């Protein structure tokens, strides 16, 4: 379906001083006191050329002083012009891509800068839609320099745990969780990781000569994902 050209909305444009002057004069009442019988308040004019050098009939060779009424509304138009300029500039501040003067207010509104924010870039945070899929978490972690993959681990309790699953030696403390997200971190492909990658000792698995390390420091990644993963989901981190 085509759109009539006359029905198109005109693009936003700030008026000039001359346009504002003409608009103000057009609103004046009609009458001799407002110079309505003389074609409106008279603007001034200057000599265009020296009458001795050019044909006087073809160029303006006289100077005329602007009327007091025209000068008054011209002064008002200058103030209105400044007001329109500021209003046009304010319109640009309503979008992240075009704002400039209110940058500090934008940062305060979106809580930036924040080293733990998954969207450290202002415009990216404004446009962020979020998500609950592993692909979204991988995207967020990848922006910060972490290589991860994840899987869901849903625990069961009550009637679902019967003779089929309740086996001696298979139960684990704290195993039954409502919803658990396991994040596996690939340290070798994570440029954001700094420090050692020694695994923490586990009962029954400690070998002679193995260092008693606290495990790799995943604090920055945990802080990052803690901002986007839903609060009811418990996150468990594994290192690969």
């Amino acid at each position: 379906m085509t759109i009539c050209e006359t029905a198109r909305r005109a693009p936003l444009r700030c008026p000039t001083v001359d346009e504002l002057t003409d608009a103000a004069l057009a609103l004046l009442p009609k009458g001799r006191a407002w110079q309505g019988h003389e074609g409106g308040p008279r603007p001034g004019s200057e000599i265009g050329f020296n009458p001795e050098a050019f044909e006087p009939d073809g160029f303006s060779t006289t100077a005329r002083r602007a009327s007091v009424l025209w000068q008054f509304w011209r002064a008002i138009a200058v103030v209105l012009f400044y007001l329109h300029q500021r209003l046009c500039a304010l319109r640009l501040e309503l979008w992240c891509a075009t704002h400039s003067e209110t940058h500090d207010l934008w940062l305060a509104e979106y809580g930036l800068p924040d080293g733990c924010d998954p969207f450290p870039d202002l415009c990216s945070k404004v446009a962020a839609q979020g998500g609950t899929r592993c692909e979204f978490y991988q995207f967020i972690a990848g922006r910060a320099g972490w290589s991860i993959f994840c899987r869901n681990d849903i625990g069961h309790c009550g009637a679902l745990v019967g003779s089929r699953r309740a086996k001696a030696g298979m139960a684990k403390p704290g195993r039954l969780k409502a919803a658990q997200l396991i994040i596996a971190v690939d340290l070798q492909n994570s440029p954001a990781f700094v420090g050692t990658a020694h695994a923490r000792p586990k009962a029954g698995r400690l070998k002679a000569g193995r260092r008693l390390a606290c495990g790799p420091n995943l604090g920055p990644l945990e802080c990052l994902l803690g901002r986007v993963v839903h609060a009811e989901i418990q996150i468990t981190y594994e290192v690969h």
Side-chain angles (χ1 to χ4, degrees):
M1 181 177 180
T2 59
I3 300 177
C4 181
E5 290 294 333
T6 58
R8 290 182 181 271
R9 182 176 299 177
L12 180 66
R13 185 179 65 86
C14 290
T16 63
V17 177
D18 292 335
E19 291 173 340
L20 291 171
T21 303
D22 294 339
L25 296 178
L27 297 177
L28 295 179
K30 302 301 180 182
R32 187 175 301 279
W34 304 95
Q35 301 176 4
H37 289 67
E38 306 169 16
R42 184 179 66 251
S45 62
E46 298 180 358
I47 297 178
F49 298 94
N50 190 334
E52 298 180 357
F54 296 93
E55 178 64 31
D57 295 335
F59 303 96
S60 174
T61 58
T62 60
R64 183 179 61 185
R65 186 176 182 180
S67 66
V68 176
L69 189 60
W70 186 91
Q71 295 182 60
F72 173 81
W73 286 108
R74 181 68 170 190
I76 298 296
V78 172
V79 178
L80 294 177
F81 174 74
Y82 174 76
L83 175 61
H84 279 79
Q85 289 292 320
R86 299 311 301 152
L87 291 176
C88 288
L90 177 62
R91 178 178 179 270
L92 299 178
E93 301 300 317
L94 301 180
W95 290 272
C96 178
T98 57
H99 84 281
S100 59
E101 299 183 39
T102 58
H103 187 66
D104 56 335
L105 300 178
W106 278 86
L107 294 179
E109 179 71 18
Y110 285 89
L112 294 175
D114 185 350
C116 201
D117 198 290
F119 299 98
D121 179 71
L122 174 62
C123 290
S124 297
K125 187 171 184 179
V126 173
Q129 298 295 327
T132 58
R133 298 177 60 87
C134 183
E135 292 81 3
F136 175 69
Y137 303 145
Q138 288 177 315
F139 168 74
I140 296 298
R143 282 167 51 99
W146 294 92
S147 176
I148 67 170
F149 56 94
C150 53
R151 68 178 187 273
N152 296 325
D153 189 8
I154 303 177
H156 302 280
C157 60
L160 292 180
V161 182
S163 58
R164 295 183 297 107
R165 297 185 179 182
K167 298 181 180 180
M170 296 297 293
K172 297 182 180 180
R175 177 63 175 174
L176 300 180
K177 306 292 182 183
Q180 190 176 31
L181 178 66
I182 300 177
I183 301 292
V185 185
D186 185 359
L187 295 182
Q188 293 184 353
N189 295 315
S190 298
F193 173 72
V194 293
T196 59
H198 296 289
R200 61 172 59 92
K202 297 181 179 181
R205 296 185 179 182
L206 182 61
K207 297 181 179 180
R210 177 175 293 181
R211 299 179 58 182
L212 296 177
C214 296
N217 180 22
L218 302 179
L221 177 62
E222 296 176 7
C223 181
L224 180 69
L225 294 181
R227 298 292 186 93
V228 294
V229 179
H230 288 195
E232 73 275 8
I233 300 177
Q234 181 178 358
I235 308 176
T236 300
Y237 294 91
E238 297 179 353
V239 176
H240 289 263

